Amino acid sequence: PALSGLFLCNCRGGNIMNKQQPIGVIDSGVGGLTVLRRLQELMPHEHFIFLGDTLNTPYGNRSREDIIRLVNQMTDYLSYRNIKALVAACNTITVLGEETIRNGHDFEVIGMAKGSKMIPRVTKTGRIGIMATDFTISTGAHKKEIQAAHPEYQVFGVGCPRLVPLIEHEQFGTAELKDAIKEYTDILKSHDVDTVMLSCTHYPFLKKEIEAAMGPAVTVLDPAEVTAKKCRYDLCERDLLCKTGTGTTEICFTTDLERGLRLASLMVDLSACRAHVVGLERQDPAQKVG
Ligand code: DGL
């Protein structure tokens, strides 16, 4: 009875999940690949399905209703693919809240870490900058969580709407990208921050450039690894962590596979991945595979 209790508890709908089921990883585009690489490193036996909605990116300048509609399409697809857990590898999605993201599905949702545990290890002045999409900043979610844990910190959020389209369109090293980075880092410098959180999963593509622009006295933090650890912990707790066998990764985009894969090659080993384009509106969420 104790054992069946354990199994019955490992998912929300009362269905029994098993270790071999895949983990879904979602983002509005290629940003979530910066999280996928940490998930792969930390959980080499898992099966991942990465889904980047490159057709509808960026999400960060859309309304909440619009973002929820697009996220529901992705989670319906991944529910049909029978995932055991979902990593929202996107801050703009994470700030919707776990219940909204889950939308009645039975898998656990793991959102991006917001920084309240990482920041105290590095800040000396307690002046923190958050770089994120306009939507993420408008919710104040990161600032609220950080200040709830550390009321003495001053947190400055900066919406950076120019960055995601430039990354998605591979504008690395261009004058426009340099100018956009300068625009946002100048604001953070004017607040004299000593720590910057990359609270959009696209921005680690630009970590070196952001570090160079902020200067050596500032620490730039990417929460991807902490988020991957949160996912592993959650799977362990539910006895769903895969500990044997060779892991696999499937990469799905909603448009332009070639561009997506060029960007993906900067983050993950593509020789070990399968990749294809999926059309999200055709899925029937009532049908599950596997
Ligand atoms: N990668 C995303 C995030 O972490 C969102 C980018 C966007 O679509 O605007 O917020």
Side-chain angles (χ1 to χ4, degrees):
L3 199 61
S4 66
L6 178 70
F7 283 124
L8 288 173
C9 285
N10 80 1
C11 109
R12 293 181 174 252
N15 296 325
I16 296 170
M17 288 192 173
N18 71 69
K19 295 177 183 173
Q20 291 305 318
Q21 284 174 249
I23 299 172
V25 182
I26 56 169
D27 182 45
S28 66
V30 299
L33 295 159
T34 67
V35 183
L36 177 67
R37 66 175 167 173
R38 302 295 174 221
L39 292 163
Q40 289 175 323
E41 279 164 16
L42 217 58
M43 293 175 281
H45 307 291
E46 293 292 345
H47 305 289
F48 295 103
I49 304 176
F50 175 85
L51 175 54
D53 191 6
T54 43
L55 181 65
N56 296 302
T57 195
Y59 281 12
N61 52 8
R62 292 174 182 270
S63 67
R64 180 180 170 87
E65 292 64 37
D66 210 14
I67 298 169
I68 291 173
R69 177 181 62 82
L70 295 169
V71 171
N72 287 349
Q73 287 184 5
M74 287 203 275
T75 53
D76 284 353
Y77 172 73
L78 290 167
S79 173
Y80 158 79
R81 297 293 310 274
N82 210 12
I83 58 170
K84 64 181 176 183
L86 178 81
V87 179
C90 172
N91 289 266
T92 305
I93 296 174
T94 297
V95 296
L96 295 173
E98 287 173 14
E99 290 303 324
T100 301
I101 299 168
R102 184 178 301 109
N103 192 29
H105 292 300
D106 53 5
F107 42 75
E108 240 11 89
V109 173
I110 296 104
M112 291 304 297
K114 298 194 184 71
S116 57
K117 295 206 177 73
M118 303 173 76
I119 291 166
R121 288 184 219 135
V122 297
T123 187
K124 293 193 176 69
T125 63
R127 299 179 70 82
I128 316 302
I130 307 286
M131 294 176 79
T133 64
D134 279 339
F135 181 78
T136 299
I137 296 295
S138 76
T139 67
H142 293 67
K143 182 171 174 157
K144 272 182 228 153
E145 188 192 284
I146 294 164
Q147 288 187 328
H150 306 279
E152 70 282 15
Y153 288 178
Q154 284 191 275
V155 181
F156 306 93
V158 178
C160 311
R162 295 169 68 191
L163 296 183
V164 168
L166 289 167
I167 294 166
E168 289 283 343
H169 291 98
E170 303 171 274
Q171 299 298 302
F172 302 111
T174 61
E176 201 185 341
L177 183 66
K178 282 183 194 146
D179 184 67
I181 291 173
K182 184 171 165 13
E183 177 185 339
Y184 305 131
T185 52
D186 278 354
I187 299 172
L188 292 170
K189 284 197 224 170
S190 75
H191 291 301
D192 204 16
V193 300
D194 78 344
T195 307
V196 172
M197 281 296 299
L198 300 182
S199 295
C200 167
T201 55
H202 281 72
Y203 303 166
F205 277 95
L206 309 174
K207 188 162 187 248
K208 284 199 183 77
E209 290 83 347
I210 293 169
E211 279 171 340
M214 290 305 300
V218 175
T219 307
V220 177
L221 295 174
D222 171 5
E225 194 181 338
V226 171
T227 303
K229 284 184 178 158
K230 211 157 61 121
C231 178
R232 186 178 60 180
Y233 178 82
D234 176 80
L235 292 173
C236 271
E237 285 288 288
R238 294 189 296 134
D239 198 27
L240 284 177
L241 185 71
C242 225
K243 294 179 186 142
T244 54
T246 310
T248 60
T249 298
E250 186 179 324
I251 295 184
C252 312
F253 293 114
T254 48
T255 192
D256 202 343
L257 187 60
E258 278 183 30
R259 177 166 54 86
L261 290 180
R262 278 197 304 275
L263 286 156
S265 70
L266 304 175
M267 289 294 151
V268 296
D269 175 9
L270 284 182
S271 67
C273 301
R274 286 199 299 136
H276 56 106
V277 167
V278 293
L280 294 181
E281 291 180 34
R282 291 193 298 272
Q283 309 306 323
D284 176 0
Q287 303 280 319
K288 285 197 191 231
V289 266

